[in-house]
mmCIF file with all atom_site columns, all heavy atoms in Angstrom:
data_model
loop_
_atom_site.group_PDB
_atom_site.id
_atom_site.type_symbol
_atom_site.label_atom_id
_atom_site.label_alt_id
_atom_site.label_comp_id
_atom_site.label_asym_id
_atom_site.label_entity_id
_atom_site.label_seq_id
_atom_site.pdbx_PDB_ins_code
_atom_site.Cartn_x
_atom_site.Cartn_y
_atom_site.Cartn_z
_atom_site.occupancy
_atom_site.B_iso_or_equiv
_atom_site.pdbx_formal_charge
_atom_site.auth_seq_id
_atom_site.auth_comp_id
_atom_site.auth_asym_id
_atom_site.auth_atom_id
_atom_site.pdbx_PDB_model_num
ATOM 1  N N   . PHE A 1 20 ? -18.377 -14.485 -64.628 1.00 0.00 ? 20 PHE A N   1
ATOM 2  C CA  . PHE A 1 20 ? -18.134 -13.036 -64.621 1.00 0.00 ? 20 PHE A CA  1
ATOM 3  C C   . PHE A 1 20 ? -16.697 -12.691 -64.381 1.00 0.00 ? 20 PHE A C   1
ATOM 4  O O   . PHE A 1 20 ? -16.145 -12.890 -63.290 1.00 0.00 ? 20 PHE A O   1
ATOM 5  C CB  . PHE A 1 20 ? -19.016 -12.287 -63.550 1.00 0.00 ? 20 PHE A CB  1
ATOM 6  C CG  . PHE A 1 20 ? -18.840 -10.859 -63.559 1.00 0.00 ? 20 PHE A CG  1
ATOM 7  C CD1 . PHE A 1 20 ? -19.319 -10.104 -64.558 1.00 0.00 ? 20 PHE A CD1 1
ATOM 8  C CD2 . PHE A 1 20 ? -18.282 -10.324 -62.395 1.00 0.00 ? 20 PHE A CD2 1
ATOM 9  C CE1 . PHE A 1 20 ? -19.230 -8.679  -64.468 1.00 0.00 ? 20 PHE A CE1 1
ATOM 10 C CE2 . PHE A 1 20 ? -18.160 -8.919  -62.348 1.00 0.00 ? 20 PHE A CE2 1
ATOM 11 C CZ  . PHE A 1 20 ? -18.638 -8.022  -63.327 1.00 0.00 ? 20 PHE A CZ  1
ATOM 12 N N   . ASP A 1 21 ? -15.971 -12.262 -65.489 1.00 0.00 ? 21 ASP A N   1
ATOM 13 C CA  . ASP A 1 21 ? -14.522 -12.046 -65.437 1.00 0.00 ? 21 ASP A CA  1
ATOM 14 C C   . ASP A 1 21 ? -14.151 -10.758 -64.792 1.00 0.00 ? 21 ASP A C   1
ATOM 15 O O   . ASP A 1 21 ? -12.904 -10.514 -64.758 1.00 0.00 ? 21 ASP A O   1
ATOM 16 C CB  . ASP A 1 21 ? -14.011 -12.335 -66.767 1.00 0.00 ? 21 ASP A CB  1
ATOM 17 C CG  . ASP A 1 21 ? -14.091 -13.776 -67.218 1.00 0.00 ? 21 ASP A CG  1
ATOM 18 O OD1 . ASP A 1 21 ? -13.953 -14.639 -66.353 1.00 0.00 ? 21 ASP A OD1 1
ATOM 19 O OD2 . ASP A 1 21 ? -14.260 -14.055 -68.445 1.00 0.00 ? 21 ASP A OD2 1
ATOM 20 N N   . GLY A 1 22 ? -15.007 -9.857  -64.565 1.00 0.00 ? 22 GLY A N   1
ATOM 21 C CA  . GLY A 1 22 ? -14.665 -8.497  -64.037 1.00 0.00 ? 22 GLY A CA  1
ATOM 22 C C   . GLY A 1 22 ? -14.036 -8.511  -62.638 1.00 0.00 ? 22 GLY A C   1
ATOM 23 O O   . GLY A 1 22 ? -13.358 -7.561  -62.246 1.00 0.00 ? 22 GLY A O   1
ATOM 24 N N   . GLY A 1 23 ? -14.335 -9.439  -61.752 1.00 0.00 ? 23 GLY A N   1
ATOM 25 C CA  . GLY A 1 23 ? -13.801 -9.502  -60.438 1.00 0.00 ? 23 GLY A CA  1
ATOM 26 C C   . GLY A 1 23 ? -14.712 -10.386 -59.603 1.00 0.00 ? 23 GLY A C   1
ATOM 27 O O   . GLY A 1 23 ? -15.373 -11.237 -60.162 1.00 0.00 ? 23 GLY A O   1
ATOM 28 N N   . MET A 1 85 ? -17.562 0.481   -57.484 1.00 0.00 ? 85 MET A N   1
ATOM 29 C CA  . MET A 1 85 ? -18.846 0.816   -58.252 1.00 0.00 ? 85 MET A CA  1
ATOM 30 C C   . MET A 1 85 ? -18.759 0.406   -59.821 1.00 0.00 ? 85 MET A C   1
ATOM 31 O O   . MET A 1 85 ? -19.723 0.065   -60.441 1.00 0.00 ? 85 MET A O   1
ATOM 32 C CB  . MET A 1 85 ? -19.079 2.307   -58.096 1.00 0.00 ? 85 MET A CB  1
ATOM 33 C CG  . MET A 1 85 ? -20.343 2.855   -58.692 1.00 0.00 ? 85 MET A CG  1
ATOM 34 S SD  . MET A 1 85 ? -21.805 2.093   -57.995 1.00 0.00 ? 85 MET A SD  1
ATOM 35 C CE  . MET A 1 85 ? -21.920 2.936   -56.547 1.00 0.00 ? 85 MET A CE  1
ATOM 36 N N   . GLY A 1 86 ? -17.537 0.582   -60.338 1.00 0.00 ? 86 GLY A N   1
ATOM 37 C CA  . GLY A 1 86 ? -17.278 0.227   -61.759 1.00 0.00 ? 86 GLY A CA  1
ATOM 38 C C   . GLY A 1 86 ? -17.688 -1.206  -61.952 1.00 0.00 ? 86 GLY A C   1
ATOM 39 O O   . GLY A 1 86 ? -18.294 -1.595  -62.979 1.00 0.00 ? 86 GLY A O   1
ATOM 40 N N   . LEU A 1 87 ? -17.234 -2.131  -61.082 1.00 0.00 ? 87 LEU A N   1
ATOM 41 C CA  . LEU A 1 87 ? -17.525 -3.512  -61.136 1.00 0.00 ? 87 LEU A CA  1
ATOM 42 C C   . LEU A 1 87 ? -19.054 -3.747  -61.010 1.00 0.00 ? 87 LEU A C   1
ATOM 43 O O   . LEU A 1 87 ? -19.607 -4.606  -61.665 1.00 0.00 ? 87 LEU A O   1
ATOM 44 C CB  . LEU A 1 87 ? -16.752 -4.236  -60.082 1.00 0.00 ? 87 LEU A CB  1
ATOM 45 C CG  . LEU A 1 87 ? -16.844 -5.787  -60.084 1.00 0.00 ? 87 LEU A CG  1
ATOM 46 C CD1 . LEU A 1 87 ? -16.402 -6.390  -61.449 1.00 0.00 ? 87 LEU A CD1 1
ATOM 47 C CD2 . LEU A 1 87 ? -15.987 -6.336  -59.046 1.00 0.00 ? 87 LEU A CD2 1
ATOM 48 N N   . ALA A 1 88 ? -19.676 -3.018  -60.109 1.00 0.00 ? 88 ALA A N   1
ATOM 49 C CA  . ALA A 1 88 ? -21.084 -3.114  -59.973 1.00 0.00 ? 88 ALA A CA  1
ATOM 50 C C   . ALA A 1 88 ? -21.892 -2.806  -61.223 1.00 0.00 ? 88 ALA A C   1
ATOM 51 O O   . ALA A 1 88 ? -22.781 -3.456  -61.662 1.00 0.00 ? 88 ALA A O   1
ATOM 52 C CB  . ALA A 1 88 ? -21.612 -2.251  -58.815 1.00 0.00 ? 88 ALA A CB  1
ATOM 53 N N   . MET A 1 89 ? -21.354 -1.796  -61.947 1.00 0.00 ? 89 MET A N   1
ATOM 54 C CA  . MET A 1 89 ? -22.013 -1.375  -63.264 1.00 0.00 ? 89 MET A CA  1
ATOM 55 C C   . MET A 1 89 ? -21.752 -2.417  -64.254 1.00 0.00 ? 89 MET A C   1
ATOM 56 O O   . MET A 1 89 ? -22.653 -2.737  -65.039 1.00 0.00 ? 89 MET A O   1
ATOM 57 C CB  . MET A 1 89 ? -21.428 0.000   -63.660 1.00 0.00 ? 89 MET A CB  1
ATOM 58 C CG  . MET A 1 89 ? -21.881 1.042   -62.697 1.00 0.00 ? 89 MET A CG  1
ATOM 59 S SD  . MET A 1 89 ? -21.086 2.757   -63.104 1.00 0.00 ? 89 MET A SD  1
ATOM 60 C CE  . MET A 1 89 ? -21.951 3.006   -64.746 1.00 0.00 ? 89 MET A CE  1
ATOM 61 N N   . GLN A 1 90 ? -20.631 -3.025  -64.338 1.00 0.00 ? 90 GLN A N   1
ATOM 62 C CA  . GLN A 1 90 ? -20.335 -4.169  -65.237 1.00 0.00 ? 90 GLN A CA  1
ATOM 63 C C   . GLN A 1 90 ? -21.264 -5.282  -64.997 1.00 0.00 ? 90 GLN A C   1
ATOM 64 O O   . GLN A 1 90 ? -21.823 -5.970  -65.880 1.00 0.00 ? 90 GLN A O   1
ATOM 65 C CB  . GLN A 1 90 ? -18.856 -4.677  -65.133 1.00 0.00 ? 90 GLN A CB  1
ATOM 66 C CG  . GLN A 1 90 ? -17.927 -3.631  -65.685 1.00 0.00 ? 90 GLN A CG  1
ATOM 67 C CD  . GLN A 1 90 ? -16.478 -4.199  -65.538 1.00 0.00 ? 90 GLN A CD  1
ATOM 68 O OE1 . GLN A 1 90 ? -16.230 -5.378  -65.127 1.00 0.00 ? 90 GLN A OE1 1
ATOM 69 N NE2 . GLN A 1 90 ? -15.518 -3.379  -65.762 1.00 0.00 ? 90 GLN A NE2 1
ATOM 70 N N   . LEU A 1 91 ? -21.366 -5.629  -63.712 1.00 0.00 ? 91 LEU A N   1
ATOM 71 C CA  . LEU A 1 91 ? -22.268 -6.765  -63.331 1.00 0.00 ? 91 LEU A CA  1
ATOM 72 C C   . LEU A 1 91 ? -23.745 -6.397  -63.686 1.00 0.00 ? 91 LEU A C   1
ATOM 73 O O   . LEU A 1 91 ? -24.441 -7.271  -64.219 1.00 0.00 ? 91 LEU A O   1
ATOM 74 C CB  . LEU A 1 91 ? -22.100 -7.046  -61.864 1.00 0.00 ? 91 LEU A CB  1
ATOM 75 C CG  . LEU A 1 91 ? -22.724 -8.248  -61.227 1.00 0.00 ? 91 LEU A CG  1
ATOM 76 C CD1 . LEU A 1 91 ? -22.439 -9.502  -62.096 1.00 0.00 ? 91 LEU A CD1 1
ATOM 77 C CD2 . LEU A 1 91 ? -22.530 -8.429  -59.794 1.00 0.00 ? 91 LEU A CD2 1
ATOM 78 N N   . GLY A 1 92 ? -24.106 -5.230  -63.426 1.00 0.00 ? 92 GLY A N   1
ATOM 79 C CA  . GLY A 1 92 ? -25.516 -4.767  -63.807 1.00 0.00 ? 92 GLY A CA  1
ATOM 80 C C   . GLY A 1 92 ? -25.778 -4.906  -65.315 1.00 0.00 ? 92 GLY A C   1
ATOM 81 O O   . GLY A 1 92 ? -26.835 -5.472  -65.711 1.00 0.00 ? 92 GLY A O   1
ATOM 82 N N   . ALA A 1 93 ? -24.765 -4.567  -66.132 1.00 0.00 ? 93 ALA A N   1
ATOM 83 C CA  . ALA A 1 93 ? -24.927 -4.791  -67.612 1.00 0.00 ? 93 ALA A CA  1
ATOM 84 C C   . ALA A 1 93 ? -24.942 -6.202  -67.898 1.00 0.00 ? 93 ALA A C   1
ATOM 85 O O   . ALA A 1 93 ? -25.673 -6.630  -68.872 1.00 0.00 ? 93 ALA A O   1
ATOM 86 C CB  . ALA A 1 93 ? -23.733 -4.057  -68.232 1.00 0.00 ? 93 ALA A CB  1
ATOM 87 N N   . ALA A 1 94 ? -24.247 -7.092  -67.225 1.00 0.00 ? 94 ALA A N   1
ATOM 88 C CA  . ALA A 1 94 ? -24.353 -8.490  -67.485 1.00 0.00 ? 94 ALA A CA  1
ATOM 89 C C   . ALA A 1 94 ? -25.617 -9.186  -67.148 1.00 0.00 ? 94 ALA A C   1
ATOM 90 O O   . ALA A 1 94 ? -26.014 -10.173 -67.793 1.00 0.00 ? 94 ALA A O   1
ATOM 91 C CB  . ALA A 1 94 ? -23.209 -9.240  -66.719 1.00 0.00 ? 94 ALA A CB  1
ATOM 92 N N   . LEU A 1 95 ? -26.339 -8.519  -66.190 1.00 0.00 ? 95 LEU A N   1
ATOM 93 C CA  . LEU A 1 95 ? -27.622 -9.049  -65.795 1.00 0.00 ? 95 LEU A CA  1
ATOM 94 C C   . LEU A 1 95 ? -28.719 -8.566  -66.743 1.00 0.00 ? 95 LEU A C   1
ATOM 95 O O   . LEU A 1 95 ? -29.838 -9.188  -66.715 1.00 0.00 ? 95 LEU A O   1
ATOM 96 C CB  . LEU A 1 95 ? -27.917 -8.668  -64.393 1.00 0.00 ? 95 LEU A CB  1
ATOM 97 C CG  . LEU A 1 95 ? -27.093 -9.247  -63.248 1.00 0.00 ? 95 LEU A CG  1
ATOM 98 C CD1 . LEU A 1 95 ? -27.456 -8.709  -61.935 1.00 0.00 ? 95 LEU A CD1 1
ATOM 99 C CD2 . LEU A 1 95 ? -27.216 -10.769 -63.305 1.00 0.00 ? 95 LEU A CD2 1
#
Side-chain angles (χ1 to χ4, degrees):
F20 178 67
D21 291 328
M85 185 60 75
L87 184 59
M89 293 175 68
Q90 289 176 9
L91 188 57
L95 292 177

